[in-house]
Amino acid sequence: MYISNLFLMNFLLSNEHETQNCVQSVMQRPVVVIRGGPEKFRNFDTRKASTYLLTSSIDLENTLDRWSQSDFFNPRAKFWILNTTPTRQFFKILAKFYIVDVRVVTTTSQVYTYDPYKFQSVSNPDTNPIHLGGCQNPDQNSQNLPKFWQNTTLKIITKCMTPYVNCVRRIAGIEPAIFTLIQRKLKFESRYVIDNSSTFGLVKKNGTYSASFGLLQRHQAHMAMGGFRTIGSTQYRDFDYATNHLEDKLVWVVPQARPLVHWMRIIKTFHWKFWLLLTIATVLVSKILEQASRLRHEPSKIFSDFALGTTFRLLVGENLKKTPSTTLVRVIFIFWIYFCMTFNITFNSDLVNVFFANFMSYQIDSFDEIVRSRLDVGLTDDVMNLLQGDQDWSLLTAKKHVLTCPFGTSCLNRTIFQRDLVCCWAERSIKYRMATSYQTGVHLIDDHLLYFYVVFYFVKGYPMVPGINQVINELKSAGLVQYIVARSDQNKPQKVELGTQVLTFKRLEGPFYFLIFGWGVSFVVFLGEVFQHSKQNQ
């Protein structure tokens, strides 16, 4: 909690060595009073204070080093430091942690500050003390951040994740294009460092981070770029991040169903229940036709003696040399002819579609189907950390074998080629990757997954973040960010089907086998008719 102004006043007045003339200036802001070591800091809640009051009894560098690893430390707050003689080395320690808004009060009631970014450089701050005067009006010469950063070189950790960042030949992609506009506006230099680590990084029990975020936390770089997300972890408390410049979502990536073989396509032309009903209808109509022919003494014996064969021949579209003469048999005959014509038109249309359209076997299409399938689940550590808070996580772990996959293509390659794994990927990235790098396909499911923002992460307290936020908002308002994203989507290679295609044997394989099957059945029927005719003539 914040310490009240009354408590602060009692604290100052009860210590004769403290400077009492600054009480009125400090009381105007909520403050946190630290006396002693940084472990006292843990007693306060997660709200970031706007003012800190420090005494000269603390080890400043050690204290700030430990505070910088705390999730609710605010380096952009105002710092009052009492009873300290300001030196260049003293301000150098403050500049190391990007603390700018500082008032140092000496035992003689004199107030000092410094202007670290006077020369627009973050790496080489100016640590000369600046005398502001007495405590009566310490804010009269408060320093602001510079408008430009012409002498600053920003070191950027870069993950190569297309289309966000493409590292082939040169650094390109959506994020570098947006960042180039920011760089031109603020007039600073940049240096990209490609990070090939297998993970983005997660927070450890001791508060430090692994992988890419660990490099950022240890100040080995100033910024991170390349599909860095804002959700699912404590990263938003331990780092600064810019306004989001891109939206995306996580999707499940499952193996695409294989095409059906042609003989199975023929079987699946209609459902098995339809074929059963068609068989029953054929037998039933043949019996009705046979009884009606005998009842009305139909002259053509084929409708009474060979009713089933005649009915079947009409069904498959074969012509008859004779037609019935009696009225009742003619009505039944015409009814069956009309049914057979409708069936043939429907069957032939569906058969053409089966032979030339793309028919796939069973396709997993939802989270529930993923759980019921035999596929393992592979997740990167940051995605696994994200999904562990979901209500369906216990259901997934109870029925599935969840593997930890490193960032990269190992999970994706197993999904595509071994076809025994389900993995997670950013939708824009996986679509671009599949269009440019793979011949085979995958199926994407966005069930039970979340949207996220793609942002630039920074070392906590980095002074350029407010200016970069302002430029990003200006670019978004002007429509330039949307233009860059749309241009990237338009440049994505598209798989175009030709308007005309050569009918190769592969495409005609199904009709060819079906024709062979028809010839075989016709030959068997022909032999049966010859045998039946010869038997009648004996």
Side-chain angles (χ1 to χ4, degrees), residues 440-463:
T440 183
V442 294
H443 184 63
L444 307 181
I445 305 170
D446 60 2
D447 194 11
H448 287 69
L449 287 179
L450 299 177
Y451 286 85
F452 61 85
Y453 295 124
V454 178
V455 298
F456 302 131
Y457 273 101
F458 292 86
V459 174
K460 181 182 287 187
Y462 199 73

Side-chain angles (χ1 to χ4, degrees), residues 146-295:
K147 182 178 181 181
F148 303 109
W149 299 89
Q150 299 183 59
N151 298 317
T152 297
T153 299
L154 196 62
K155 187 177 180 181
I156 305 171
I157 296 175
T158 309
K159 286 282 193 184
C160 301
M161 178 184 286
T162 54
Y164 310 119
V165 178
N166 186 4
C167 300
V168 179
R169 299 178 183 173
R170 63 184 182 88
I171 302 296
I174 297 176
E175 292 190 80
I178 296 173
F179 198 72
T180 299
L181 298 179
I182 299 173
Q183 185 175 343
R184 292 175 181 174
K185 176 71 175 180
L186 299 181
K187 300 180 181 180
F188 61 87
E189 299 295 327
S190 61
R191 182 161 65 91
Y192 293 95
V193 179
I194 296 178
D195 179 17
N196 294 316
S197 61
S198 59
T199 58
F200 285 92
L202 292 175
V203 64
K204 302 177 183 178
K205 292 183 178 180
N206 61 2
T208 62
Y209 278 80
S210 60
S212 305
F213 280 108
L215 299 176
L216 201 62
Q217 188 183 47
R218 295 190 296 272
H219 290 207
Q220 296 181 13
H222 309 125
M223 173 186 150
M225 173 194 299
F228 282 79
R229 300 181 284 270
T230 59
I231 60 175
S233 69
T234 60
Q235 295 153 358
Y236 71 96
R237 300 184 303 182
D238 298 330
F239 301 92
D240 284 341
Y241 56 90
T243 301
N244 65 288
H245 53 274
L246 189 64
E247 297 180 5
D248 210 336
K249 62 180 177 180
L250 291 174
V251 293
W252 294 106
V253 183
V254 301
Q256 189 175 58
R258 297 185 183 277
L260 281 177
V261 294
H262 287 88
W263 68 270
M264 290 189 64
R265 295 186 187 186
I266 297 172
I267 294 177
K268 291 181 177 295
T269 305
F270 293 113
H271 196 269
W272 67 269
K273 293 181 179 179
F274 177 83
W275 292 109
L276 178 61
L277 291 175
L278 182 64
T279 303
I280 295 174
T282 304
V283 174
L284 183 61
V285 170
S286 66
K287 291 297 182 181
I288 295 175
L289 193 62
E290 178 183 350
Q291 294 300 325
S293 299
R294 292 178 179 177
L295 179 63

Side-chain angles (χ1 to χ4, degrees), residues 201-422:
L202 292 175
V203 64
K204 302 177 183 178
K205 292 183 178 180
N206 61 2
T208 62
Y209 278 80
S210 60
S212 305
F213 280 108
L215 299 176
L216 201 62
Q217 188 183 47
R218 295 190 296 272
H219 290 207
Q220 296 181 13
H222 309 125
M223 173 186 150
M225 173 194 299
F228 282 79
R229 300 181 284 270
T230 59
I231 60 175
S233 69
T234 60
Q235 295 153 358
Y236 71 96
R237 300 184 303 182
D238 298 330
F239 301 92
D240 284 341
Y241 56 90
T243 301
N244 65 288
H245 53 274
L246 189 64
E247 297 180 5
D248 210 336
K249 62 180 177 180
L250 291 174
V251 293
W252 294 106
V253 183
V254 301
Q256 189 175 58
R258 297 185 183 277
L260 281 177
V261 294
H262 287 88
W263 68 270
M264 290 189 64
R265 295 186 187 186
I266 297 172
I267 294 177
K268 291 181 177 295
T269 305
F270 293 113
H271 196 269
W272 67 269
K273 293 181 179 179
F274 177 83
W275 292 109
L276 178 61
L277 291 175
L278 182 64
T279 303
I280 295 174
T282 304
V283 174
L284 183 61
V285 170
S286 66
K287 291 297 182 181
I288 295 175
L289 193 62
E290 178 183 350
Q291 294 300 325
S293 299
R294 292 178 179 177
L295 179 63
R296 295 299 182 182
H297 304 288
E298 171 60 39
S300 300
K301 298 298 182 182
I302 59 172
F303 297 105
S304 57
D305 297 341
F306 306 103
L308 181 60
T310 302
T311 306
F312 178 76
R313 290 170 66 182
L314 291 174
L315 181 65
V316 298
E318 185 178 351
N319 295 326
L320 298 178
K321 294 182 179 180
K322 296 181 180 181
T323 58
S325 302
T326 58
T327 304
L328 178 61
V329 180
R330 279 193 172 188
V331 171
I332 300 173
F333 181 81
I334 293 173
F335 166 80
W336 186 244
I337 285 289
Y338 176 77
F339 174 83
C340 293
M341 289 175 59
T342 305
F343 167 76
N344 274 277
I345 293 173
T346 306
F347 178 77
N348 291 334
S349 300
D350 197 51
L351 196 61
V352 171
N353 184 51
V354 163
F355 287 143
F356 296 103
N358 293 323
F359 275 76
M360 314 298 288
S361 57
Y362 172 73
Q363 178 68 68
I364 297 174
D365 206 31
S366 68
F367 175 79
D368 294 334
E369 292 178 358
I370 291 176
V371 174
R372 293 194 300 266
S373 71
R374 297 181 179 180
L375 302 176
D376 293 331
V377 177
L379 305 173
T380 57
D381 55 359
D382 56 332
V383 173
M384 187 179 298
N385 185 66
L386 164 66
L387 296 181
Q388 283 175 352
D390 191 86
Q391 60 181 358
D392 296 303
W393 176 253
S394 57
L395 174 63
L396 184 66
T397 54
K399 296 187 177 182
K400 307 299 295 183
H401 184 203
V402 181
L403 307 175
T404 300
C405 289
F407 169 75
T409 58
S410 57
C411 275
L412 183 59
N413 287 339
R414 184 170 169 183
T415 299
I416 295 175
F417 301 112
Q418 298 184 27
R419 303 176 61 83
D420 62 350
L421 186 75
V422 177

Side-chain angles (χ1 to χ4, degrees), residues 120-140:
Q120 304 178 12
S121 173
V122 177
S123 58
N124 297 304
D126 183 357
T127 56
N128 291 314
I130 299 175
H131 183 235
L132 293 178
C135 278
Q136 287 74 16
N137 191 15
D139 286 333
Q140 60 184 357

